[in-house]
Amino acid sequence: MDFELHQIIKMKKGHPCGSNRWEILRVGADFRLKCLGCGRQVMMPRKAVEKGFKSFEE
């Protein structure tokens, strides 16, 4: 998969705040994602992001 900084993605599972939209802040072996519902930032391994990825959003 080809992810870039500041792309908005949708994940299969939602965040506990209810949103499933995330902004990519860091790309590499680990991703830093920012929830667009509550603003929380999380680090996730690339494999977990690729597995839970649903679609790109513009």
Side-chain angles (χ1 to χ4, degrees):
M1 298 227 160
D2 198 24
F3 295 104
E4 297 178 13
L5 289 179
H6 304 292
Q7 278 184 322
I8 306 299
I9 61 172
K10 283 188 175 180
M11 300 292 277
K12 291 177 187 172
K13 282 184 84 173
H15 190 246
C17 74
S19 177
N20 68 341
R21 297 175 61 234
W22 299 84
E23 178 183 0
I24 299 173
L25 300 178
R26 180 179 183 269
V27 178
D30 292 322
F31 279 44
R32 179 176 295 279
L33 302 174
K34 179 180 176 183
C35 176
L36 295 179
C38 63
R40 165 99 45 187
Q41 293 184 17
V42 297
M43 291 287 286
M44 292 179 67
R46 174 179 282 271
K47 191 171 186 174
V49 173
E50 289 178 348
K51 184 177 179 183
F53 173 77
K54 185 175 180 182
S55 64
F56 289 107
E57 192 173 286
E58 296 182 21

